[in-house]
Amino acid sequence: MGKVQKKKSLADKVRKTKTSTEIKNNPFEVKINRKKFEVLGQKIKHDVGLPGVSRSKAIKKRKDTLLKEYKQKNKSNKFIDRRFGEYDTKMAPEDKILQRFAMERQRGHDKKDVYNLNEEEELTHYGQSLAEMEKFTDAGNSDDETEEKGLLSAELTASHFGGGGGLLRKKGPGDQEEEGGQRTKSRQELIEELIQKSKQEKRERQVKKEEAQELTEKLDQEWKSIQALMVKKTPKDADAEKTEEKPKVEEYDMMVRELGFEMKAQPSEKLKTPEELAREETEKLQKLEVHLTLISTLILSPTLPLIITVCVCVCVCVCACCGQADRLRRMMGDEGRDSSQHQVHMSADDLNDGFILDKHDKKTLAYEDGKWNIEDESEGGQDEDEAESGEDQETDAEEEEDDDEDGKEESAEEEGEGSIEKEDDDGHSDLDSEEEESENEEENEDDDVVSVPKPKKKSVTKEEQEAAKAELPYTFTAPENYNCLKNLLNCHTPDNQRLIVARMQKSNHPSLAVGNKLKLQNLLGFLLEYVGELATRNPPDLLTVDKLIPELYTLCQMFPEAARQALQSIMGDVAHSMEEVIEVNGHAPFPTLDMLIYLKVIALLFPTSDFRHPVTTPALLFIGQALTKCPVRSLQDLTSGLVLCCLAVEYVSLSKRFLPELINFLFGTLHLAVQDKTSLGYSVVPPFRRSGKHCDLLVVSDSESISSWSRKSLPLSACKHLELEEDRDRDQHRLTCLSTCLDLVKRCCLLYKELTSFTHIFQPIRVLLSKHLSSQTLPDSLQELQSEIVEMISSAPAAHRVLVFDKKKPIPLKLLTPKIVEVLDYGKKRGSSREEREQERLKHKYKKEFKGALREIRKDSRFLAREKLSEVMNRDAERKRKVRELFGSLATQEGEWKALKRRKRK
Amino acid sequence: MAPAKKRNVKPEKSQKGVKTAKMDPNSCVERILESRKHANDVFDLLELLQSEDEKVLISAMSACTTLFCTLLERKELFTGKLHPEDEALIGGFTAEEKCQIFMRHRYNSCVEMLLEQLSHEEFNVKENALCCLIKCATAQGRHPLEDLDWSEHYSFPRELIQAVVENLVSKTTDNSLLISRFQQFLEMEDLRFYVMSSIRESVGQVMEKNKGALMPVYQNNVFTLMTNINMPSQESELTSFMVQQEGEVQPVFSYHKCLEHKRVFERMWLGFLKYKLPSNMYKKILVILHDSILPHMSKPTLMIDFLTAAYDVGGAISLLALNGLFILIHQHNLEYPDFYQKLYNLLEPSVFHVKYRARFFHLANIFLSSSHLPVYLVAAFAKRLARLALTAPPTALLIVLPFIYNLIRRHPACRVLIHRPSAERELIKDPYLMDEEDPAMCHALDSSLWELKTLQNHYHPDVAKAAMLINTPLSGQEDDINEVLEITTHERDLKHSQKKSVPLEFETATQLLKGGGNVLGQHFCLN
């Protein structure tokens, strides 16, 4: 090992002396890292290695660090050299000295010296004042002058004559400090040098500065010469532009102003909440009202109201269109997007129609126009208005409905109206008042609409109303349970019941308190229950039900989910019980009147035309089932069945959906009217039978009654309770039922005219009418209706286009061009997340570092072992040498002694 | 006969009856069994059997049963041909024999009274009487009262069972509860065997007497009893017997053979079905025919006449007969002429409204699953079903539509019914003849299924969606009809009950009768 190291160290020495290029060119030093294959464009750092160089570098480093530590290992003391820049090889020795000097100066610079402005600084050496030392130098100098001069001179000569200068000169400055002998000379020299140097530097700096200045000046001049070329063009252009710009700007400004004055740039309306939507819908109707009143007063103010009316018309139309379009979309079974579409759709329309804008304009203008004042008068000053109330129905009705509310409501209402303007201006600042107001409006709304077609109600005893007004409180707490509501409403007139519910709803508006929403939802459920109970009463109190409808509608608009749940549970119970009965008996009795009322209410509250609706679809299914599973056993059953048929026609009137049960039932009903059931030529569908006990229900017994019959509406209570004592009455009822049935058949014909199987669907009815019923004696109107239907059925086109599949888009051929994916990060692993990649990277790095550290440690220990070995060898060699020396000396001694002895002997 | 005589004696004893009525029947039994001195106490016991009190009656019945079973075991009852009591007293019998004859007569009268109690009003009494009778029969079977013919150990108390059966299938009261209790005893193979033969005899006698007229109660009782018979399917299952034979070599009797059982069963049913039946029973029989009657018959083909007659009845009965016919055709090589034509004519509007709709479509699906059917036939079925679908309720439509699609899938030549590109532009009248009975002549193949196009506008969303399928080529996979057969409307609704938002009516509701075209308002008023 020792030998190897020696060799190495020798090699190192050699290497050190050689330049790097020499080494690189030496094939013995270079190790070429063989590549397995060439990769184009790859940069390789380590294609060539210099193992010798790197090894020697490493060894040197170890010697500097590890070896030193090893040497210091068991030493308690150690010498630390803190001289500035002592081991800094990069610093020039002169710099080192300068720095050290400066530091020394700073250290000596005490606080007290701050004020020591003019005094010269004391130069020291080794803490002693140089000045003082100079004083004693003469004596001291004389002592060692001879020796030192000799040395100095030798140096000087050496420096002057250039013999081996490099080394000695290098040593020079270092020695100056350590060797006090050369002090004076070197110091002077040093100072001179310093001065020289600083001067030189100064000069150099000055020269540089001048040069820079010169250059910049030159550059400036050059630039100017070029600039002249460039400038020649640009100023002209700029001028031209300027001149042109002026008119442009004006035009633009004008445009801007025009645009500014146009109202287009109004901020778009935010998405509307259901409440707002509901309000708008009701506003629509109110606008219609206003419209009507405006028309009547149009002559007075010819210009503005015209615009307003047009606006109102447009907005009403647009509003209706929104609803219609939405309905149509749901009818086609466009599910899923319902909820989202609903809102988006409306808002999109809003942008187009400028509905809000119109409303805004109209409102304010209506006020300005003084139209509102008239209404105000009608609302407020009811007493004075009394006289002129005959003028228009609307004011009358309003007054009537409102007269008990007026006192309290009036001001609030006005405020509400006012808030609309405000709200339109500042963008829905006060939702609460707005909601309230909307309700109030709805209130008026409904009142109006209810009252308009029923002017007779006007005459319903004013005194009574007055009395009720006195009795009814203005606020009602929402009922806790159904019985509360029942007790509350029971003893009032239908109108008052409605009023109570309305006030209840108002005083418990969700915006007023936290729990109100739940209360009103409960109220909705109770009301529905109440409606059912009203219908089951004997006689059924349908007038009240009729009055409560608007309230139900409003509540339903507020809480669709609660309404759905309530009605679904009602429907579900009845349908379930019916199904059970059917399972046992195979048939079931007709649904009771309350169920019929519920079905009608469902049709009023929810859209019947939807492709699939959580409430109306089950309701329609229920109707279908009732029409197939309930056998007709009496005229009462038949009436119920006809009500169901009417409902069914209403349900499908918009969507024109095919309802086979309806046709079957109507057909069966007509069959009941056929006298001679021997040769039919058609077959009847269950629940009707070809012939049997109840198969002659509609056959008129007395031909006299035919002539005396006149058509009038059947009461709904006939489904529940039908008392027909006399044959005449029975016949009347029969004929009415028949006419209803025929009318429904006619409506169905119209509804299903477009169906491809129209003729086949109505074939049996046609046979029945043309062969059997026409031969019977019937009132003229019925005969007419009947022939009309036959005509309609036979005139329908029988020929149709044969069925083919829908045309499909041809599937495009598969293209064979490769799919190109742009890869931007080569060499990186893809398909993992950023964190994973980072972790991978760190792991890799750790592994590399760990390996490197291991290798280093191994090398270190090898180095140390080598060092130890060499130490031991050295020691051994030393010992051997010494022993040999001793032996040698002893041998010489002995030799000398022997020689002496020999000589003595001689 | 003897019991009648005894009853004549009764009034004499009735003075004592007040006292004896209160005595314990069990102690009485003990006394009688103790010594023959007390033999006359039997009369007291028998008197108790006539009691009005339910509890007394029941205890007396059980006491009698124990008494006579023990006597039978002791062989203290006279065996062999029984002489009338008077004769026995005169004739040259030993005292021992006389006593036995006396007891035998008492036993007979007891059995008679128990049989009478089978028509008691109280079910408890009836049930007890039945149990007692079975116990007696068991004891009698073990210790036969007849002189045994040793060549054949034929010791089953046939007369007793016959009497029980005749009392069970009463002509006046509905005994279904008691019969279902009796079912428990019918587990015993020999009993069942003899019950079946006695039913046959009884039915034959009774119906002959009535000249084949309808006897609803009687027939219903018989039917209940017959349906309660669970037939063994293998000989190895014949294990439990009421009368166990002793001895090493067990002689084999007819009721040990499964085939014999089947034969008796078959004869019983044929005997029953020979006569006119009420129509609801007709349906009931047809409903159970395929799985509880046909498999247990030795020659199911004997049912052909019955089934073809039922198939020709029409309506629901025909639908039900289809099932039995299917088994005969499928497993017993029945060749039925014009089967498909009849099936085709079964398709009437009422098919969709009857209770047995699911069963019918299940079978129709099987019948029409053959790929060897002529195209015209399949097309005729598809077209007729489509036409009938115009009057069908939605639940039926949800079966019919996939059914039609399956037909078209199975027979690709029928695709012209929904896709006829050759005549795309032509306007044609429907050439299909609904009234034509022969599927070959109805021109169904020249038609298109316009009815399905119509049903695309059906109000039920699922039906409309199903009907939409004809707009595009049908997928290759057949729909599984059996899955949709049993689903009711209600179940379907439940599937769709969850929904996020509820669309609301746009038009403001103001009045009850308004809205929706105002149809209701036009014809009806509130008051």
Side-chain angles (χ1 to χ4, degrees), chain A residues 327 546 600 650 658-659 661 711 714-715 743 747 757 800-801 806, chain B residues 394 428 450 454 457 459 462 471 503 505 512 520 522-523 525 527:
Chain A
R327 182 197 289 285
D546 188 39
K600 178 65 196 168
E650 284 189 4
F658 177 46
L659 194 75
E661 289 89 340
R711 205 199 166 289
L714 286 169
D743 182 63
R747 280 171 191 271
S757 305
H800 297 287
R801 211 159 269 172
D806 285 349
Chain B
I428 54 167
W450 286 290
T454 303
N457 282 322
Y459 73 99
D462 292 338
N471 286 349
E505 177 56 43
L512 183 63
L520 196 61
Q522 201 171 340
H523 295 287
C525 59
N527 293 314

mmCIF file of all heavy atoms in Angstrom, chain A residues 327 546 600 650 658-659 661 711 714-715 743 747 757 800-801 806, chain B residues 394 428 450 454 457 459 462 471 503 505 512 520 522-523 525 527:
data_model
loop_
_atom_site.group_PDB
_atom_site.id
_atom_site.type_symbol
_atom_site.label_atom_id
_atom_site.label_comp_id
_atom_site.label_asym_id
_atom_site.label_seq_id
_atom_site.Cartn_x
_atom_site.Cartn_y
_atom_site.Cartn_z
ATOM 1 N N ARG A 327 -94.132 24.739 -20.977
ATOM 2 C CA ARG A 327 -95.099 23.659 -20.920
ATOM 3 C C ARG A 327 -94.869 22.673 -22.060
ATOM 4 O O ARG A 327 -94.834 21.468 -21.877
ATOM 5 C CB ARG A 327 -96.495 24.257 -21.011
ATOM 6 C CG ARG A 327 -97.600 23.209 -20.900
ATOM 7 C CD ARG A 327 -98.880 23.776 -21.401
ATOM 8 N NE ARG A 327 -99.474 24.777 -20.551
ATOM 9 C CZ ARG A 327 -100.101 24.529 -19.419
ATOM 10 N NH1 ARG A 327 -100.164 23.307 -18.976
ATOM 11 N NH2 ARG A 327 -100.658 25.494 -18.722
ATOM 12 N N ASP A 546 -114.611 26.271 -4.024
ATOM 13 C CA ASP A 546 -114.382 27.162 -5.142
ATOM 14 C C ASP A 546 -113.677 28.437 -4.682
ATOM 15 O O ASP A 546 -112.751 28.925 -5.327
ATOM 16 C CB ASP A 546 -115.730 27.487 -5.781
ATOM 17 C CG ASP A 546 -115.566 28.251 -7.064
ATOM 18 O OD1 ASP A 546 -114.626 27.907 -7.793
ATOM 19 O OD2 ASP A 546 -116.345 29.176 -7.315
ATOM 20 N N LYS A 600 -109.534 17.432 -9.695
ATOM 21 C CA LYS A 600 -109.693 18.716 -10.374
ATOM 22 C C LYS A 600 -108.690 19.732 -9.828
ATOM 23 O O LYS A 600 -108.067 20.491 -10.583
ATOM 24 C CB LYS A 600 -111.132 19.207 -10.167
ATOM 25 C CG LYS A 600 -111.426 20.556 -10.768
ATOM 26 C CD LYS A 600 -111.319 20.531 -12.276
ATOM 27 C CE LYS A 600 -111.220 21.944 -12.816
ATOM 28 N NZ LYS A 600 -110.843 21.991 -14.210
ATOM 29 N N GLU A 650 -109.986 17.104 -19.794
ATOM 30 C CA GLU A 650 -109.241 18.303 -19.402
ATOM 31 C C GLU A 650 -107.758 17.990 -19.273
ATOM 32 O O GLU A 650 -106.906 18.768 -19.677
ATOM 33 C CB GLU A 650 -109.770 18.836 -18.082
ATOM 34 C CG GLU A 650 -111.087 19.557 -18.228
ATOM 35 C CD GLU A 650 -111.484 20.273 -16.951
ATOM 36 O OE1 GLU A 650 -110.703 20.264 -15.991
ATOM 37 O OE2 GLU A 650 -112.585 20.839 -16.942
ATOM 38 N N PHE A 658 -103.305 10.104 -25.898
ATOM 39 C CA PHE A 658 -104.320 9.100 -26.157
ATOM 40 C C PHE A 658 -104.666 8.383 -24.858
ATOM 41 O O PHE A 658 -103.787 7.871 -24.169
ATOM 42 C CB PHE A 658 -103.803 8.118 -27.203
ATOM 43 C CG PHE A 658 -104.749 6.993 -27.479
ATOM 44 C CD1 PHE A 658 -106.104 7.237 -27.668
ATOM 45 C CD2 PHE A 658 -104.297 5.699 -27.568
ATOM 46 C CE1 PHE A 658 -106.974 6.204 -27.924
ATOM 47 C CE2 PHE A 658 -105.161 4.664 -27.827
ATOM 48 C CZ PHE A 658 -106.505 4.917 -27.999
ATOM 49 N N LEU A 659 -105.945 8.356 -24.516
ATOM 50 C CA LEU A 659 -106.397 7.745 -23.274
ATOM 51 C C LEU A 659 -107.441 6.692 -23.640
ATOM 52 O O LEU A 659 -108.628 6.992 -23.720
ATOM 53 C CB LEU A 659 -106.984 8.831 -22.383
ATOM 54 C CG LEU A 659 -107.221 8.527 -20.923
ATOM 55 C CD1 LEU A 659 -105.895 8.532 -20.174
ATOM 56 C CD2 LEU A 659 -108.130 9.559 -20.297
ATOM 57 N N GLU A 661 -108.869 4.361 -22.074
ATOM 58 C CA GLU A 661 -109.913 4.142 -21.077
ATOM 59 C C GLU A 661 -111.060 5.119 -21.268
ATOM 60 O O GLU A 661 -112.230 4.764 -21.087
ATOM 61 C CB GLU A 661 -109.336 4.307 -19.669
ATOM 62 C CG GLU A 661 -108.411 3.194 -19.249
ATOM 63 C CD GLU A 661 -106.978 3.461 -19.643
ATOM 64 O OE1 GLU A 661 -106.754 4.284 -20.548
ATOM 65 O OE2 GLU A 661 -106.081 2.852 -19.058
ATOM 66 N N ARG A 711 -131.396 21.160 -22.102
ATOM 67 C CA ARG A 711 -130.075 20.880 -21.539
ATOM 68 C C ARG A 711 -129.737 21.835 -20.409
ATOM 69 O O ARG A 711 -129.868 23.051 -20.546
ATOM 70 C CB ARG A 711 -129.044 21.025 -22.652
ATOM 71 C CG ARG A 711 -127.833 20.220 -22.371
ATOM 72 C CD ARG A 711 -126.636 20.639 -23.141
ATOM 73 N NE ARG A 711 -125.457 20.029 -22.563
ATOM 74 C CZ ARG A 711 -124.965 20.391 -21.388
ATOM 75 N NH1 ARG A 711 -125.543 21.326 -20.692
ATOM 76 N NH2 ARG A 711 -123.878 19.790 -20.914
ATOM 77 N N LEU A 714 -125.343 19.542 -14.917
ATOM 78 C CA LEU A 714 -125.607 18.652 -13.798
ATOM 79 C C LEU A 714 -124.880 19.190 -12.575
ATOM 80 O O LEU A 714 -123.780 19.736 -12.692
ATOM 81 C CB LEU A 714 -125.073 17.258 -14.116
ATOM 82 C CG LEU A 714 -125.844 16.431 -15.118
ATOM 83 C CD1 LEU A 714 -125.022 15.213 -15.488
ATOM 84 C CD2 LEU A 714 -127.155 15.991 -14.511
ATOM 85 N N PRO A 715 -125.468 19.046 -11.419
ATOM 86 C CA PRO A 715 -124.717 19.434 -10.222
ATOM 87 C C PRO A 715 -123.670 18.377 -9.902
ATOM 88 O O PRO A 715 -123.892 17.182 -10.112
ATOM 89 C CB PRO A 715 -125.784 19.497 -9.137
ATOM 90 C CG PRO A 715 -126.849 18.594 -9.623
ATOM 91 C CD PRO A 715 -126.817 18.613 -11.113
ATOM 92 N N ASP A 743 -121.107 14.988 -26.165
ATOM 93 C CA ASP A 743 -120.227 16.145 -26.291
ATOM 94 C C ASP A 743 -118.778 15.747 -26.041
ATOM 95 O O ASP A 743 -117.857 16.183 -26.746
ATOM 96 C CB ASP A 743 -120.663 17.213 -25.296
ATOM 97 C CG ASP A 743 -119.809 18.452 -25.418
ATOM 98 O OD1 ASP A 743 -119.846 19.062 -26.505
ATOM 99 O OD2 ASP A 743 -119.088 18.781 -24.456
ATOM 100 N N ARG A 747 -115.525 16.013 -28.417
ATOM 101 C CA ARG A 747 -114.244 16.613 -28.037
ATOM 102 C C ARG A 747 -113.097 15.636 -28.274
ATOM 103 O O ARG A 747 -112.019 16.025 -28.741
ATOM 104 C CB ARG A 747 -114.270 16.998 -26.560
ATOM 105 C CG ARG A 747 -114.984 18.297 -26.297
ATOM 106 C CD ARG A 747 -115.155 18.500 -24.814
ATOM 107 N NE ARG A 747 -116.052 19.602 -24.519
ATOM 108 C CZ ARG A 747 -115.640 20.869 -24.375
ATOM 109 N NH1 ARG A 747 -114.358 21.167 -24.528
ATOM 110 N NH2 ARG A 747 -116.504 21.817 -24.100
ATOM 111 N N SER A 757 -104.519 5.816 -35.924
ATOM 112 C CA SER A 757 -105.553 4.789 -35.805
ATOM 113 C C SER A 757 -106.903 5.386 -35.438
ATOM 114 O O SER A 757 -107.749 4.702 -34.856
ATOM 115 C CB SER A 757 -105.164 3.776 -34.740
ATOM 116 O OG SER A 757 -103.910 3.256 -35.027
ATOM 117 N N HIS A 800 -102.959 5.764 -44.692
ATOM 118 C CA HIS A 800 -101.791 6.334 -44.030
ATOM 119 C C HIS A 800 -100.530 5.868 -44.722
ATOM 120 O O HIS A 800 -100.524 4.892 -45.457
ATOM 121 C CB HIS A 800 -101.752 5.908 -42.569
ATOM 122 C CG HIS A 800 -102.912 6.409 -41.788
ATOM 123 N ND1 HIS A 800 -103.028 7.724 -41.422
ATOM 124 C CD2 HIS A 800 -104.016 5.785 -41.333
ATOM 125 C CE1 HIS A 800 -104.167 7.886 -40.763
ATOM 126 N NE2 HIS A 800 -104.790 6.719 -40.702
ATOM 127 N N ARG A 801 -99.501 6.566 -44.407
ATOM 128 C CA ARG A 801 -98.202 6.179 -44.933
ATOM 129 C C ARG A 801 -97.713 4.962 -44.155
ATOM 130 O O ARG A 801 -97.908 4.900 -42.936
ATOM 131 C CB ARG A 801 -97.247 7.348 -44.732
ATOM 132 C CG ARG A 801 -96.195 7.435 -45.777
ATOM 133 C CD ARG A 801 -95.645 8.826 -45.825
ATOM 134 N NE ARG A 801 -96.360 9.672 -46.775
ATOM 135 C CZ ARG A 801 -96.165 10.966 -46.881
ATOM 136 N NH1 ARG A 801 -95.317 11.559 -46.064
ATOM 137 N NH2 ARG A 801 -96.811 11.676 -47.775
ATOM 138 N N ASP A 806 -87.114 5.849 -38.489
ATOM 139 C CA ASP A 806 -86.604 7.208 -38.649
ATOM 140 C C ASP A 806 -85.312 7.170 -39.434
ATOM 141 O O ASP A 806 -84.515 6.245 -39.304
ATOM 142 C CB ASP A 806 -86.346 7.824 -37.272
ATOM 143 C CG ASP A 806 -87.646 8.222 -36.614
ATOM 144 O OD1 ASP A 806 -88.669 8.207 -37.325
ATOM 145 O OD2 ASP A 806 -87.626 8.521 -35.409
ATOM 146 N N PRO B 394 -103.012 0.579 -19.375
ATOM 147 C CA PRO B 394 -101.558 0.723 -19.500
ATOM 148 C C PRO B 394 -100.769 -0.470 -18.972
ATOM 149 O O PRO B 394 -99.734 -0.812 -19.543
ATOM 150 C CB PRO B 394 -101.255 1.985 -18.699
ATOM 151 C CG PRO B 394 -102.482 2.327 -17.963
ATOM 152 C CD PRO B 394 -103.614 1.697 -18.666
ATOM 153 N N ILE B 428 -101.710 4.043 -47.868
ATOM 154 C CA ILE B 428 -102.596 2.885 -48.016
ATOM 155 C C ILE B 428 -103.571 2.809 -46.845
ATOM 156 O O ILE B 428 -103.274 3.250 -45.739
ATOM 157 C CB ILE B 428 -101.812 1.562 -48.123
ATOM 158 C CG1 ILE B 428 -100.865 1.404 -46.934
ATOM 159 C CG2 ILE B 428 -101.062 1.484 -49.424
ATOM 160 C CD1 ILE B 428 -100.319 0.006 -46.815
ATOM 161 N N TRP B 450 -99.766 0.676 -37.319
ATOM 162 C CA TRP B 450 -100.071 2.088 -37.045
ATOM 163 C C TRP B 450 -100.559 2.294 -35.617
ATOM 164 O O TRP B 450 -100.463 3.378 -35.073
ATOM 165 C CB TRP B 450 -101.157 2.582 -38.016
ATOM 166 C CG TRP B 450 -100.650 2.792 -39.390
ATOM 167 C CD1 TRP B 450 -99.797 3.769 -39.799
ATOM 168 C CD2 TRP B 450 -100.959 2.026 -40.547
ATOM 169 N NE1 TRP B 450 -99.541 3.656 -41.133
ATOM 170 C CE2 TRP B 450 -100.242 2.595 -41.619
ATOM 171 C CE3 TRP B 450 -101.757 0.913 -40.783
ATOM 172 C CZ2 TRP B 450 -100.311 2.085 -42.913
ATOM 173 C CZ3 TRP B 450 -101.830 0.419 -42.054
ATOM 174 C CH2 TRP B 450 -101.102 0.997 -43.119
ATOM 175 N N THR B 454 -99.883 5.238 -32.893
ATOM 176 C CA THR B 454 -100.894 5.930 -32.091
ATOM 177 C C THR B 454 -100.524 5.899 -30.614
ATOM 178 O O THR B 454 -100.640 6.898 -29.916
ATOM 179 C CB THR B 454 -102.260 5.248 -32.273
ATOM 180 O OG1 THR B 454 -102.574 5.256 -33.655
ATOM 181 C CG2 THR B 454 -103.331 5.962 -31.488
ATOM 182 N N ASN B 457 -98.566 8.352 -28.485
ATOM 183 C CA ASN B 457 -99.212 9.481 -27.820
ATOM 184 C C ASN B 457 -99.957 9.060 -26.570
ATOM 185 O O ASN B 457 -100.806 9.790 -26.087
ATOM 186 C CB ASN B 457 -100.200 10.147 -28.776
ATOM 187 C CG ASN B 457 -99.488 11.018 -29.767
ATOM 188 O OD1 ASN B 457 -98.513 11.673 -29.404
ATOM 189 N ND2 ASN B 457 -99.937 11.010 -31.004
ATOM 190 N N TYR B 459 -101.009 8.320 -22.781
ATOM 191 C CA TYR B 459 -100.816 9.215 -21.636
ATOM 192 C C TYR B 459 -99.827 8.680 -20.620
ATOM 193 O O TYR B 459 -99.234 9.426 -19.874
ATOM 194 C CB TYR B 459 -102.157 9.505 -20.953
ATOM 195 C CG TYR B 459 -102.734 8.357 -20.159
ATOM 196 C CD1 TYR B 459 -102.583 8.305 -18.780
ATOM 197 C CD2 TYR B 459 -103.436 7.333 -20.781
ATOM 198 C CE1 TYR B 459 -103.117 7.257 -18.052
ATOM 199 C CE2 TYR B 459 -103.957 6.290 -20.052
ATOM 200 C CZ TYR B 459 -103.794 6.252 -18.687
ATOM 201 O OH TYR B 459 -104.305 5.217 -17.959
ATOM 202 N N ASP B 462 -94.453 5.615 -19.639
ATOM 203 C CA ASP B 462 -93.686 4.408 -19.961
ATOM 204 C C ASP B 462 -94.198 3.745 -21.244
ATOM 205 O O ASP B 462 -93.408 3.259 -22.061
ATOM 206 C CB ASP B 462 -93.772 3.405 -18.812
ATOM 207 C CG ASP B 462 -93.053 3.913 -17.582
ATOM 208 O OD1 ASP B 462 -92.186 4.783 -17.776
ATOM 209 O OD2 ASP B 462 -93.351 3.467 -16.475
ATOM 210 N N ASN B 471 -89.605 3.523 -33.817
ATOM 211 C CA ASN B 471 -89.024 4.545 -34.689
ATOM 212 C C ASN B 471 -87.616 4.178 -35.126
ATOM 213 O O ASN B 471 -87.108 4.694 -36.106
ATOM 214 C CB ASN B 471 -88.984 5.893 -33.981
ATOM 215 C CG ASN B 471 -90.358 6.505 -33.902
ATOM 216 O OD1 ASN B 471 -91.277 6.019 -34.553
ATOM 217 N ND2 ASN B 471 -90.505 7.538 -33.109
ATOM 218 N N PRO B 503 -92.763 20.926 -11.352
ATOM 219 C CA PRO B 503 -93.257 22.004 -12.205
ATOM 220 C C PRO B 503 -94.672 22.399 -11.770
ATOM 221 O O PRO B 503 -95.446 21.550 -11.336
ATOM 222 C CB PRO B 503 -93.278 21.380 -13.602
ATOM 223 C CG PRO B 503 -92.484 20.146 -13.514
ATOM 224 C CD PRO B 503 -92.548 19.701 -12.099
ATOM 225 N N GLU B 505 -98.373 24.712 -12.383
ATOM 226 C CA GLU B 505 -99.255 25.212 -13.428
ATOM 227 C C GLU B 505 -98.966 26.692 -13.639
ATOM 228 O O GLU B 505 -98.814 27.456 -12.701
ATOM 229 C CB GLU B 505 -100.707 24.988 -13.022
ATOM 230 C CG GLU B 505 -101.717 25.539 -13.988
ATOM 231 C CD GLU B 505 -101.539 24.993 -15.385
ATOM 232 O OE1 GLU B 505 -101.322 23.797 -15.535
ATOM 233 O OE2 GLU B 505 -101.601 25.792 -16.340
ATOM 234 N N LEU B 512 -112.900 26.631 -9.255
ATOM 235 C CA LEU B 512 -112.794 25.174 -9.254
ATOM 236 C C LEU B 512 -113.066 24.598 -10.636
ATOM 237 O O LEU B 512 -112.340 23.731 -11.115
ATOM 238 C CB LEU B 512 -113.790 24.604 -8.240
ATOM 239 C CG LEU B 512 -113.755 23.099 -8.065
ATOM 240 C CD1 LEU B 512 -112.410 22.682 -7.515
ATOM 241 C CD2 LEU B 512 -114.861 22.633 -7.166
ATOM 242 N N LEU B 520 -115.277 20.545 -17.653
ATOM 243 C CA LEU B 520 -116.079 20.225 -16.484
ATOM 244 C C LEU B 520 -117.099 21.321 -16.222
ATOM 245 O O LEU B 520 -118.253 21.049 -15.890
ATOM 246 C CB LEU B 520 -115.156 20.045 -15.276
ATOM 247 C CG LEU B 520 -115.754 19.351 -14.063
ATOM 248 C CD1 LEU B 520 -116.176 17.959 -14.406
ATOM 249 C CD2 LEU B 520 -114.751 19.336 -12.936
ATOM 250 N N GLN B 522 -118.497 23.182 -18.254
ATOM 251 C CA GLN B 522 -119.568 23.250 -19.241
ATOM 252 C C GLN B 522 -120.691 22.268 -18.927
ATOM 253 O O GLN B 522 -121.838 22.510 -19.260
ATOM 254 C CB GLN B 522 -118.971 22.950 -20.610
ATOM 255 C CG GLN B 522 -119.838 23.476 -21.723
ATOM 256 C CD GLN B 522 -119.122 23.349 -23.039
ATOM 257 O OE1 GLN B 522 -117.902 23.232 -23.088
ATOM 258 N NE2 GLN B 522 -119.881 23.377 -24.111
ATOM 259 N N HIS B 523 -120.312 21.180 -18.317
ATOM 260 C CA HIS B 523 -121.309 20.137 -18.105
ATOM 261 C C HIS B 523 -121.785 20.030 -16.664
ATOM 262 O O HIS B 523 -122.795 19.408 -16.394
ATOM 263 C CB HIS B 523 -120.753 18.785 -18.539
ATOM 264 C CG HIS B 523 -120.481 18.714 -20.005
ATOM 265 N ND1 HIS B 523 -121.487 18.623 -20.913
ATOM 266 C CD2 HIS B 523 -119.327 18.765 -20.698
ATOM 267 C CE1 HIS B 523 -120.957 18.603 -22.128
ATOM 268 N NE2 HIS B 523 -119.650 18.684 -22.020
ATOM 269 N N CYS B 525 -122.181 21.904 -12.636
ATOM 270 C CA CYS B 525 -122.143 23.118 -11.851
ATOM 271 C C CYS B 525 -121.925 22.756 -10.393
ATOM 272 O O CYS B 525 -122.007 21.587 -10.002
ATOM 273 C CB CYS B 525 -123.422 23.920 -12.037
ATOM 274 S SG CYS B 525 -124.875 22.979 -11.547
ATOM 275 N N ASN B 527 -123.530 23.482 -7.599
ATOM 276 C CA ASN B 527 -124.620 23.099 -6.694
ATOM 277 C C ASN B 527 -125.429 21.933 -7.250
ATOM 278 O O ASN B 527 -125.843 21.952 -8.365
ATOM 279 C CB ASN B 527 -125.529 24.284 -6.466
ATOM 280 C CG ASN B 527 -124.795 25.347 -5.705
ATOM 281 O OD1 ASN B 527 -124.131 25.058 -4.717
ATOM 282 N ND2 ASN B 527 -124.846 26.576 -6.189
#
